[in-house]
Amino acid sequence: MNQPPSGAAGDRPARLTVGVVGAGRVGPALAAALGLAGHRPVAASGVSDASRRRAEALLPGVPLVEPAEVLARADLVLLTAPDDALPGLVAGLAETGAVRPGRLLAHASGRYGTAVLDPATRAGALPLALHPVMTFTGTPVDVQRLAGCSFGVTAPEELRLAAEALVIEMGGEPEWVAEEARPLYHAALALGANHLVTLVAQAMELLRTAGVSAPDRMLGPLLGTALDNALRSGDAALTGPVARGDAGTVAAHITELRRHAPQAVAGYLAMARATADRALAGGLLRPELAEDLLEVLSDGDPR
């Protein structure tokens, strides 16, 4: 394999020129963070007006050029296209001869490890997968929020130190994820973060329907405490009617959801069943109470 730019495989990467292909919400923020660490953003590419505005806000003075020109100018290129577009982007860059041997090529996708970069690796690129585990706004505040952010890192063993050093320079905390574990890793993050947004949004809608004027203010302390307890104690933090085995209360919930928000019933049942299973396995839900509860949840028929 080709060697990285001088010093890049050591404890601290050499000062690198940095390029961004795909100026969405993530790429410009990562490049800006690397700029604060002493690296030098030199080029970016973006198609939409929003992408161009983000690049100008986060990378002022950095020229917007075609993707091939980004690769020609930069020692480290951040490929921050959407997951589904990434394989085609990599293949296209390799096929057109845009990939420069010995240059670092990093993507920020949670789904993929470095195998998605294989066409570029065969052309001499040095592959890195650096996935920041946070949501991005596409504004300068993202750069500050990278401080203490975990990154899912995958790279060839000889590039591991360079990958981890880059993450640390961006203010992040590297967490090594094996290539074969990337899909499961990403599924776990989606389950926790993306589905949480759906659950919270549904809860706010139901509270508004119930006449609560400020559901966000009501839910904030409750959800903050629940999240903190769950992160500290796992299943031991389970509370509420399902964990207690209150089948009558759960049946009443289902009745009200069917009446006011039928679109929420399937999600409620699925999460209640999962909660009951975990509470039962953890000894929180007494078996004698679980039977009636599980009967209610088995068909969603409130008795």
Side-chain angles (χ1 to χ4, degrees), residues 105-167:
L105 202 60
H107 72 73
S109 166
R111 173 183 173 185
Y112 296 110
T114 56
V116 71
L117 299 173
D118 280 352
T121 302
R122 289 192 291 270
L126 306 178
L128 307 174
L130 310 175
H131 174 240
V133 185
M134 71 175 232
T135 57
F136 286 76
T137 65
T139 66
V141 71
D142 293 333
V143 180
Q144 283 73 46
R145 288 179 176 171
L146 285 170
C149 169
S150 292
F151 277 66
V153 177
T154 305
E157 187 62 34
E158 61 269 26
L159 295 175
R160 179 167 180 161
L161 288 178
E164 292 177 345
L166 286 169
V167 169

Side-chain angles (χ1 to χ4, degrees), residues 1-28:
M1 175 174 286
N2 292 285
Q3 293 301 309
S6 177
D11 292 337
R12 180 180 175 85
R15 302 306 88 189
L16 303 170
T17 52
V18 179
V20 179
V21 175
R25 295 183 179 185
V26 179

Side-chain angles (χ1 to χ4, degrees), residues 201-272:
Q202 283 189 337
M204 289 199 296
E205 288 174 356
L206 293 170
L207 286 172
R208 289 191 191 97
T209 302
V212 174
S213 60
D216 53 343
R217 188 166 66 239
M218 178 177 285
L219 284 172
L222 175 66
L223 297 182
T225 301
L227 177 59
D228 184 63
N229 289 344
L231 292 174
R232 292 174 182 270
S233 304
D235 288 337
L238 285 171
T239 62
V242 173
R244 291 192 300 266
D246 291 340
T249 299
V250 172
H253 288 176
I254 296 169
T255 296
E256 291 304 298
L257 290 175
R258 288 192 188 282
R259 180 178 302 154
H260 297 288
Q263 73 280 2
V265 172
Y268 180 95
L269 289 172
M271 292 305 299

